[in-house]
Amino acid sequence: MKHREFKPQRLDIQAFVVNAGELQGQIALTDLPRLGADLHSQASPQDVAPVRWQARGEARPRRTGAPELWLHLQTQASVPLECQRCLQPVDVALQVDRWFHFVETEALAAELDETSDDDVLVQSSAFNLLELVEDELLLALPVVPNHEQCPTQLPFNPDSMVEPEVDQATEEAEPHPFAALAALKKSAGPQG
């Protein structure tokens, strides 16, 4: 049997799965522009370790009909983001280990997506696996990246914490914002 070569940028999902295909590789952050956009401003994408990924196709038999098409994707990356406490670079380790179920049509994907916890995608003969790698890494980014313990001491000056001054005369003269509503409710009386 002839060994078939698969290309991650134009992957025929059905052929990949039926042949129990396996792919692995590395990709530079410069080739993942959406993920690269989230890097700390001091980080150079060229100096960041490449993203490692691997994918494997699996055909799962069904009682009737053709087997289900599944793809197992694993990725690992270390991305320098901006710590939200000290604003310095923090290397965030990202790992993705997911299964994707591929189906024939958008309608079937939408239907299965409603009733299943599986990640359902539409199969293609020119599927861009590297875009899926980038999508999954973007979804794995933390909402608030930060160091467990920041490398620099955060500036804090308790004397700079000034209580806002309240003008007692103005505060007492202005009515409460809901005072008019309370008066209106009283004047309307009970509704029957």
Side-chain angles (χ1 to χ4, degrees):
M1 184 173 170
K2 181 181 167 191
H3 176 67
R4 182 157 181 189
E5 186 176 327
F6 295 102
K7 298 188 184 318
Q9 293 91 341
R10 291 186 55 83
L11 186 62
D12 182 336
I13 292 294
Q14 184 166 13
F16 184 71
V17 170
V18 168
N19 288 287
E22 291 188 31
L23 284 171
Q24 62 182 359
Q26 297 183 7
I27 185 167
L29 275 178
T30 53
D31 295 329
L32 301 173
R34 293 176 294 145
L35 185 60
D38 287 331
L39 298 183
H40 188 277
S41 60
Q42 295 174 0
S44 170
Q46 294 82 2
D47 298 334
V48 177
V51 172
R52 294 188 323 262
W53 60 269
Q54 60 187 33
R56 177 173 53 88
E58 181 179 301
R60 296 183 184 171
R62 293 190 287 191
R63 286 186 180 191
T64 60
E68 292 181 342
L69 307 179
W70 288 84
L71 178 100
H72 185 214
L73 176 67
Q74 295 175 299
T75 65
Q76 300 86 33
S78 180
V79 183
L81 302 175
E82 184 174 277
C83 173
Q84 297 300 297
R85 284 191 292 233
C86 69
L87 306 180
Q88 298 300 310
V90 55
D91 287 330
V92 176
L94 302 176
Q95 288 198 333
V96 174
D97 188 346
R98 300 189 67 171
W99 284 93
F100 297 91
H101 180 194
F102 282 86
V103 295
E104 297 81 18
T105 65
E106 288 282 347
L108 183 55
E111 180 184 323
L112 287 175
D113 209 31
E114 293 279 327
T115 61
S116 171
D117 290 337
D118 297 327
D119 292 311
V120 183
L121 299 173
V122 177
Q123 74 186 47
S124 166
S125 59
F127 185 77
N128 191 331
L129 182 61
L130 299 181
E131 282 184 3
L132 181 63
V133 167
E134 185 174 23
D135 289 344
E136 292 304 309
L137 288 171
L138 285 167
L139 290 171
L141 287 173
V143 176
V144 181
N146 56 37
H147 295 99
E148 281 192 32
Q149 183 158 356
C150 292
T152 57
Q153 190 67 16
L154 299 177
F156 176 73
N157 182 353
D159 295 335
S160 68
M161 301 292 289
V162 178
E163 291 287 326
E165 290 186 26
V166 177
D167 182 359
Q168 294 295 332
T170 305
E171 189 176 88
E172 291 171 6
E174 291 181 13
H176 190 275
F178 293 109
L181 180 60
L184 187 61
K185 283 179 69 176
K186 280 184 182 176
S187 67
Q191 299 292 322

